[in-house]
Amino acid sequence: MSGWDRSAITIATFLPVAGAIVIAAMPREKDRLIRWLGVLFTGAALVVSIAIAIAFDYGGRGGLQFEVDTSWISAIGARYHVGIDGISLPLYVLTFLLSFLCAVYTVRYVPEPGRTKAFLGLMLLLETGMAGTFIAFDLLLFFVFWELVLVPMYFLIGIWGSANREYAAIKFFLYTVFGSVFMLLGFLGMYFRSDVSAAPGFQHSFDIVALQHFGAAGGFTHGFQVVVFGAIALGFAVKVPMWPFHTWLPDAHTEAPTIGSVLLAGVMLKMGTYGFIRVALPILPYGAHKYAPWIGLLAAIAIVYAALACLAQKDLKRLIAFSSVGHMGFVMLGIATLTQIGINAAIFGMVAHGVITGMLFFCVGSIYDRYHTRQIAEIGGGMMQNVPKLASIFAYVAIASLGLPGLAGFWGEVMALLAAFSPASGLNVALFRGFMVAGGVGTILTAGYFLWMLQRVNLGVLPDRWKEHHISDILAVEWVAWMPLLVGIVLLGVYPKLVFGTTSEAVHGLLSALGLGS
Amino acid sequence: MAQLIDYHAILPELILSGTIMLVLVVDVFLPARRKWFAMPLSLLGVVASLVAVLTLLGSHRTAFGGMFVVDNFAILFKIFFLTVAIVVLSISLRYFREGGFYQGEYYFLLLTSFLGCLLMPSSRDLLMLFIALELVSAPGFLMVAFRKGDPRSNEAGLKFFLIGVLSTAVMLYGMSLVYGLTGATRLTVIAERLAIVSGGRLTLAYAAILFVVAGFAFKVSAVPFQFWAPDTYEGAPVPVAAFLGAASSAAGFAGLLQLMFVAFLHQASFWAPIFAAVSIATMTVGNLLALQQRQLVRLLAYSGIAQAGYILLPFALVGKDAATDQRAFSAAVAYILIYAVMNLGAFSVAIAVSRRSPGLLFRDFAGLGKTAPLLAIGMATFMASLAGVPPTGGFWAKIIIFNAAINRGGIGPVLAVVMLVNSVMSIYYYFAVPRMMFFETPEDTSPLRSPALVTAVVAAASLAVLAAFVWPDWFARAPQFSTLVGR
C-alpha cells in the first residue's frame, strides 16, 4: 500500500483543522486574506477528496479502501480506523464540495456581526467533524467526530444567527446531545457484548467492521439488540431528524446564518441517516427488523406532516426547513424497507437533498440579503420582474426539490416508494404499501406547497415598496458558488448512475452480510 | 527495616515544611510594600519540593514503620498537588497584593494546606489520614475568612468551620470504633481483621465505616454534606475557592480511595450501594441547583458538587471482581485529575474578570469574547470540558467512567444513564457562560487586562484540556500506575 493510500483520507479530513489553526494565527485586520485562506483550505481538501474519488476502485466488491487502522487509545482499545467505501464516498465528497462552496460564498457574505476569523475557523472545524463521521470505522472515533460538529454549529447559530438565535442554538445543542448520549451508551453496550478482538490484548472491540461480522453472525442476543438498537436509533433519529424529534430543526435552520443552514441541511442531517446504514442496521440486524415498521411509520408521518406544515409556513426559510423533514422522511422510508433498492435510494436521496436543499438555503440567504425579510407576504411576489435570474434559479431548484423527473430530487423519492412496495422478507408488505401510499400523497402535497410558494414569491406584480429600492440580481460570487450545485442537480437527474454506480456494490455487500442480499 | 525514617521518602514534605517556616519568618522582616515576596519564596519551595518528588519516581519506599508510603499512587498525586500549588500561587499574587490582605500569613496557610495534601496519598494509616485531612482543612477555615471586611467571607469561614468540625468529630468517632474492632490503625491490617468480623460486630463495623466516610464526604462536598460549599466558595477569596475546588476536594478523594479500596474493600457489598445512592443524589442536587445560579463562583460550587457525584460513581462499582475494581479506581483517578485542570482554569478566568467586576455575576462576562478573547476562549474550553463535550479532555473523563460503569453490568448501566442525563442537564448551565461571553455585547468595551501569570495559567490549562482530548492515552493510562489496588 502506497503512502498516498494510507494518508489520503487523513489529509483530506484534517486539512480544514490545519486551515482553522492557520486562520486563527492571522491578525484580525487581514480580513480579505482570511477569506481567501478559507477558500484555499476548503479547496485543497476538496481536491484531495476528488482525487480519492478518482482513485477509488469502483469494481471493488464493496470493501474498504484507503484504509488505515492503527492504535489510538490503547487504554480502552479504541483505534484510529478510517476507510472509505461506496456508501461513504458520495457523502464524503459532498461534504467537501458544500464546505468549499460555502467558503466561496463567504468571500462576499459574512453575516452580522462580522468576525470573519472566528466564522471561518468554526466552519473549518465543522467540516472536519462532518467529514470524519463518514470515514470513521471505530465506534468511539465515529462518536468523537459526531460530537465534534456540535460546538462549532452552536456558535455559528448563536453568534451569527438572526433574532431568536440563542434559543435555537441551545435547543439544537441539547436535543442532539440528549440523543447522542444514548447512542454512546448503546455503543458501549455493543463493545462489552462483542466477543471479537480487533486489537491485541482486548476481548472486545469498537471496530465497526469487526462488529458487523460479529452482528451478522448472530453474536448479539435478540433482547440486547432490541434495547441497544432503540438507544442508538434515538441518537440517529434526533440528528436526521425523524418525526417527532424534529422540533429543533425548524428553529435551528431559521435562525442559522446561510452557510450554517446549507451545511446543516446539506451534510449534518445525513450523519443520522448514514449512522443507521453504517452502524445500526448491519451490527444489529434483528433489532433493525423489529424496528423497521416503526421507522417506516415515523417516516410516513414525517412526509405527510412536513408537507402540511410547509403549507402553513409564512417564513421562507422555515418552509425550506420543514421540507427537509419531509425529504429525510423519504430517506428513512428507504432505509426502513431494508432492501437493496431502498438503501440505494436512501443514499441517493441524501446526496440529492444535500445538493438541492443546500442550494435552496443559498437562494433564501440571497433573497434575505436583498429584501431583508424572509416573510413571504412581505416579499409579496414579483421576483421574476425584479431579479429574474435569482427568481429563475429559485424556481428551478424548488422544482428539483419537489421531485420532477430528470432532476436530482426524483430518483431518491421514487425509488424509496418503489422499495416500500416490496420490502425485505419478514416485513409486513401491506403495512409498507400503506406507507408507500402515504409517501405518494406526500409527494403531491410537496409539489403543492412548492408551487404555491413560487406563485407567492416569484410571480405576481412587484409591490410598489420594492420599486424604489435598487435590488441587484445574482452577483459573480454567487454564480461561482452555485454553479456546481446547479449543474449537479441536472447531472444527478439524468445520470443517476453517478451515485448508484458507487453505492450499489457496497450496499449489496452490506445486505448480503445480513442475509438480505437477494 | 534498617532505619526508622527514610529521609529521601519524606524529602518533599521536609522541603515544604522548611519553606513554610521560612515564609512565616521572612514575612516579619519584609516592609509592607514588599510583603508579596512571600509568593516567589513559596513558589521556589514548591518547585524544589516537586523536584524532590521527581527524584522518587518509580521507587517504592516506606517510612515511620509503614504509616507513610511512597508508591506510584502517592507520587502521581504528589506531582498533581504540587502542580496545583504552583497554579494557585500564580493566580494568588495579584489578587492578594492588590486586595490589601495579609500576604505572608496567606502563603503560610496555603502551603500548610498543601503539606496536608502531600501527606494524604502517602498515608496508609488512620492516624496519618486524620492528620493529613486536618492539615488540609484547618488552614482552609482561616483562608476562607480572609476577606475580613466582608461579612459574607466571615459567614463562609464560620459555616465551613462548623460543618467541618462536626464531620471531623463524626469521623474520629468512626475511626475509634474501627480501632476498637480491629486493634489496628494500619489500613492493610484493618482490611485483614475486618474480613473476619461477623455478627453484631459486623453491624458495628458498618456503622464505623459510615462515620469515617462522613468525614471525607464533607471534604468532597457530597450530599448530604454539601451545604457549606456554595456559601463558602462565594465568600472566600477567589484563589482560595480555586484551591478548595481543585486541591482540597482532590485530597479528600485521595484519602477516600485509600480507605475504600484498601481498608474497607471486603465490605464493598455494604457500602457500594450507599455510594451509588450518594453519587446519584450528589450529581442531581448539584446540577439542579446549578441551573438556577447567576453568579459564577456559586455556579462553580454547585458544579463542583455535581462533579463530585460523578467521581463518586466509580466507588459504587466496587466489589464485583478485581478487574472491575481496577477499572473503577482508574476512572475515579482520571476524573479527579482532569477535573482539577478545568476547574482551576475556570477559577483563573474568574480571578482575571474579578479585577473589573468583583461581583462575578454572569452579566459581568458579557462580551468577554471581545474584551479579552484569550480568556473567553479559555473559559469556553473549560466550560465545554466540564460539560463533557468534545473536543476537550472532560469528554474522555466521562467516557472512562461510562466505560467502567457499563462494563460492570448490574447496577452499573443504571448509574451510567443517570450520569448521562445529568451531563446533558449540565450543558445548559455550563453553556450559559460562553453564551454571555460571545453572544452578548459588553457594557464596558475597553480591553480587559489580565495579570500575566493568570493569562499564562489560563493558556496552559486550556492547552492541557485540549491536549487531553487529542492524546487521551496519557491520562487514561496514568491511573494504572497505581499500586494501590489489583495486588
Side-chain angles (χ1 to χ4, degrees):
Chain A
M1 200 189 266
S2 71
W4 163 252
D5 279 353
R6 284 190 58 76
S7 54
I9 49 178
T10 304
I11 293 174
T13 308
F14 290 101
L15 250 180
V17 171
I21 293 170
V22 170
I23 284 178
M26 289 288 138
R28 184 181 312 199
E29 298 75 37
K30 304 251 182 200
D31 197 68
R32 300 238 38 103
L33 176 67
I34 288 169
R35 294 182 193 205
W36 284 107
L37 277 176
V39 175
L40 178 75
F41 276 97
T42 51
L46 175 65
V47 168
V48 178
S49 75
I50 289 174
I52 292 171
I54 291 171
F56 190 81
D57 176 11
Y58 291 90
R61 305 301 309 151
L64 278 187
Q65 304 184 24
F66 295 93
E67 192 177 4
V68 179
D69 187 3
T70 58
S71 170
W72 177 38
I73 313 172
S74 51
I76 45 178
R79 300 179 67 77
Y80 180 73
H81 186 192
V82 295
I84 202 160
D85 70 354
I87 297 172
S88 313
L89 186 65
L91 296 166
Y92 191 60
V93 177
L94 178 73
T95 306
F96 289 108
L97 177 67
L98 281 177
S99 304
F100 171 67
L101 299 181
C102 285
V104 171
Y105 193 75
T106 306
V107 170
R108 172 73 175 73
Y109 295 105
V110 175
E112 286 295 314
R115 291 158 78 178
T116 319
K117 210 169 110 170
F119 186 71
L120 275 171
L122 289 169
M123 195 191 93
L124 288 166
L125 219 54
L126 184 69
E127 185 180 0
T128 290
M130 296 187 301
T133 311
F134 296 128
I135 54 156
F137 278 84
D138 180 281
L139 284 180
L140 223 45
L141 187 63
F142 177 89
F143 187 75
V144 166
F145 280 125
W146 174 282
E147 294 280 78
L148 199 59
V149 302
L150 292 184
V151 175
M153 190 45 99
Y154 170 77
F155 282 112
L156 281 179
I157 298 175
I159 300 180
W160 291 275
S162 42
N164 204 9
R165 57 185 180 266
E166 287 180 28
Y167 168 77
I170 196 72
K171 187 173 179 182
F172 157 78
F173 200 102
L174 286 178
Y175 246 92
T176 322
V177 169
F178 189 76
S180 63
V181 290
F182 284 97
M183 183 174 98
L184 175 65
L185 275 187
F187 285 179
L188 292 175
M190 291 200 284
Y191 173 75
F192 288 115
R193 285 296 187 92
S194 67
D195 218 359
V196 285
S197 172
F202 284 91
Q203 304 158 339
H204 312 302
S205 176
F206 280 117
D207 193 273
I208 293 181
V209 179
L211 286 170
Q212 282 179 359
H213 291 307
F214 184 71
F220 295 112
T221 61
H222 286 180
F224 175 81
Q225 292 201 28
V226 169
V227 173
V228 171
F229 193 98
I232 61 179
L234 183 63
F236 295 142
V238 169
K239 199 82 169 184
V240 169
M242 280 164 72
W243 188 90
F245 307 109
H246 68 281
T247 59
W248 64 268
L249 181 122
D251 287 315
H253 265 313
T254 313
E255 302 303 330
T258 300
I259 73 146
S261 305
V262 170
L263 292 177
L264 197 60
V267 186
M268 273 178 73
L269 305 187
K270 279 75 190 176
M271 288 163 57
T273 42
Y274 174 80
F276 273 106
I277 297 176
R278 173 65 71 210
V279 179
L281 258 51
I283 299 181
L284 305 165
Y286 177 80
H289 264 102
K290 280 285 155 201
Y291 280 93
W294 297 103
I295 295 174
L297 176 67
L298 294 182
I301 293 176
I303 295 169
V304 176
Y305 171 87
L308 292 174
C310 281
L311 283 170
Q313 294 310 314
K314 297 185 175 72
D315 181 315
L316 211 49
K317 207 169 178 187
R318 219 176 158 81
L319 189 152
I320 311 286
F322 266 111
S323 85
S324 283
V325 177
H327 286 121
M328 295 314 276
F330 280 106
V331 173
M332 287 314 299
L333 183 60
I335 292 173
T337 65
L338 302 177
T339 59
Q340 170 94 18
I341 302 177
I343 292 178
N344 272 309
I347 301 168
F348 194 95
M350 291 189 230
V351 177
H353 177 257
V355 174
I356 295 172
T357 308
M359 189 57 227
L360 275 176
F361 277 116
F362 270 134
C363 285
V364 173
S366 285
I367 292 172
Y368 178 74
D369 205 63
R370 286 161 174 77
Y371 285 83
H372 302 289
T373 178
R374 293 186 307 246
Q375 296 297 317
I376 294 173
E378 284 180 36
I379 295 170
M383 253 176 44
M384 268 299 187
Q385 300 161 20
N386 203 10
V387 276
K389 290 183 191 136
L390 179 59
S392 314
I393 288 180
F394 191 44
Y396 162 70
V397 185
I399 287 169
S401 186
L402 65 80
L404 192 77
L407 296 177
F410 173 69
W411 296 105
E413 295 189 6
V414 80
M415 283 179 58
L417 294 178
L418 203 65
F421 185 76
S422 52
S425 59
L427 297 176
N428 187 336
V429 177
L431 187 66
F432 272 85
R433 289 193 182 161
F435 298 156
M436 185 190 75
V437 172
V441 173
T443 53
I444 297 167
L445 288 172
T446 305
Y449 70 74
F450 266 123
L451 292 174
W452 191 38
M453 174 193 82
L454 288 176
Q455 185 190 336
R456 285 179 293 168
V457 173
N458 270 5
L459 308 179
V461 186
L462 183 69
D464 288 338
R465 63 178 174 280
W466 299 118
K467 280 185 180 148
E468 53 263 39
H469 291 280
H470 172 69
I471 292 178
S472 60
D473 211 333
I474 299 185
L475 307 170
V477 69
E478 287 166 335
W479 279 119
V480 177
W482 296 354
M483 197 43 84
L485 297 178
L486 299 175
V487 174
I489 290 172
V490 187
L491 216 55
L492 289 173
V494 296
Y495 193 62
K497 198 160 178 292
L498 217 52
V499 171
F500 289 138
T502 317
T503 58
S504 57
E505 276 299 322
V507 173
H508 183 75
L510 192 108
L511 287 176
S512 54
L514 304 186
L516 294 168
S518 52
Chain B
M1 214 170 292
Q3 59 187 118
L4 185 60
I5 302 175
D6 178 347
Y7 284 103
H8 190 190
I10 57 167
L11 188 60
E13 284 81 3
L14 285 180
I15 294 177
L16 202 60
S17 310
T19 314
I20 291 169
M21 302 300 170
L22 202 62
V23 166
L24 200 57
V25 173
V26 167
D27 180 58
V28 179
F29 297 102
L30 284 174
R33 57 192 186 80
R34 295 214 197 284
K35 289 283 188 200
W36 61 273
F37 276 22
M39 158 18 200
L41 192 63
S42 312
L43 196 61
L44 209 63
V46 170
V47 171
S49 178
L50 184 59
V51 172
V53 172
L54 293 179
T55 64
L56 287 166
L57 268 181
S59 59
H60 186 98
R61 288 159 178 274
T62 54
F64 306 111
M67 285 172 90
F68 185 92
V69 175
V70 176
D71 55 8
N72 284 334
F73 171 78
I75 292 172
L76 178 72
F77 267 95
K78 282 175 203 237
I79 295 176
F80 163 75
F81 283 128
L82 288 170
T83 316
V84 172
I86 293 174
V87 170
V88 174
L89 285 172
S90 306
I91 58 181
S92 296
L93 180 65
R94 290 294 276 268
Y95 189 93
F96 281 89
R97 211 176 143 187
E98 291 167 1
F101 297 99
Y102 291 124
Q103 296 182 64
E105 288 83 343
Y106 166 70
Y107 293 113
F108 161 75
L109 291 170
L110 186 69
L111 289 188
T112 310
S113 256
F114 272 109
L115 182 62
C117 291
L118 278 196
L119 289 175
M120 184 69 87
S122 282
S123 312
R124 300 302 149 81
D125 187 287
L126 284 186
L127 283 178
M128 275 297 286
L129 273 178
F130 175 71
I131 292 171
L133 192 70
E134 286 313 294
L135 210 47
V136 177
S137 299
F141 300 144
L142 294 171
M143 287 193 291
V144 164
F146 230 62
R147 291 166 52 210
K148 285 193 284 190
D150 188 341
R152 277 183 309 171
S153 189
N154 297 332
E155 181 194 338
L158 200 61
K159 264 193 180 151
F160 192 36
F161 173 70
L162 287 178
I163 302 180
V165 169
L166 182 71
S167 64
T168 301
V170 173
M171 180 178 72
L172 266 183
Y173 182 54
M175 285 182 171
S176 70
L177 287 178
V178 172
Y179 181 70
L181 280 165
T182 61
T185 53
R186 191 85 54 79
L187 298 185
T188 46
V189 183
I190 291 173
E192 285 164 21
R193 301 207 177 145
L194 273 184
I196 49 170
V197 164
S198 61
R201 290 161 66 85
L202 188 62
T203 317
L204 192 61
Y206 287 164
I209 292 173
L210 279 190
F211 288 153
V212 175
V213 169
F216 287 89
F218 155 74
K219 204 83 220 132
V220 305
S221 66
V223 169
F225 301 96
Q226 91 289 11
F227 289 103
W228 59 274
D231 292 334
T232 303
Y233 275 57
E234 193 189 6
V238 187
V240 174
F243 160 78
L244 290 178
S248 170
S249 70
F253 276 116
L256 202 54
L257 282 169
Q258 299 175 76
L259 275 177
M260 304 328 275
F261 281 86
V262 179
F264 303 142
L265 189 61
H266 296 296
Q267 286 73 39
S269 58
F270 161 70
W271 54 258
I274 296 177
F275 270 91
V278 170
S279 162
I280 291 177
T282 306
M283 63 176 87
T284 312
V285 166
N287 275 322
L288 284 179
L289 292 176
L291 285 174
Q292 300 152 22
Q293 300 309 315
R294 292 288 170 273
Q295 202 265 356
L296 187 79
V297 177
R298 284 190 81 85
L299 176 91
L300 288 175
Y302 281 110
S303 112
I305 295 173
Q307 303 273 349
Y310 304 150
I311 302 175
L312 287 171
L313 194 151
F315 288 89
L317 308 173
V318 175
K320 191 173 175 233
D321 51 48
T324 311
D325 290 358
Q326 176 71 50
R327 220 175 277 119
F329 184 84
S330 305
V333 174
Y335 205 103
I336 293 167
L337 298 183
I338 194 75
Y339 167 65
V341 178
M342 48 211 193
N343 205 33
L344 273 181
F347 272 111
S348 307
V349 176
I351 287 172
V353 173
S354 72
R355 284 156 59 85
R356 178 177 287 175
S357 14
L360 287 177
L361 298 171
F362 276 11
R363 65 167 180 276
D364 296 331
F365 285 79
L368 201 67
K370 279 208 185 67
T371 55
L374 187 76
L375 293 183
I377 291 172
M379 191 65 165
T381 313
F382 303 135
M383 288 295 146
S385 190
L386 285 166
V389 175
T392 58
F395 172 71
W396 290 118
K398 285 210 167 81
I399 296 259
I400 291 171
I401 290 187
F402 292 152
N403 201 7
I406 297 206
N407 196 15
R408 159 75 162 73
I411 194 175
V414 179
L415 290 171
V417 170
V418 175
M419 180 168 161
L420 275 175
V421 173
N422 265 287
S423 308
V424 176
M425 193 158 50
S426 75
I427 290 173
Y428 183 79
Y429 64 80
Y430 283 127
F431 272 64
V433 182
R435 202 187 71 207
M436 268 293 163
M437 295 190 302
F438 294 107
F439 300 173
E440 303 289 328
T441 46
E443 285 166 24
D444 182 356
T445 52
S446 61
L448 179 81
R449 289 163 56 94
S450 153
L453 279 177
V454 174
T455 313
V457 165
V458 171
S462 354
L463 285 181
V465 166
L466 294 174
F469 173 75
V470 182
W471 296 285
D473 237 13
W474 64 257
F475 89 96
R477 199 176 268 221
Q480 293 185 349
F481 281 117
S482 164
T483 41
L484 211 57
V485 290
R487 280 170 305 179

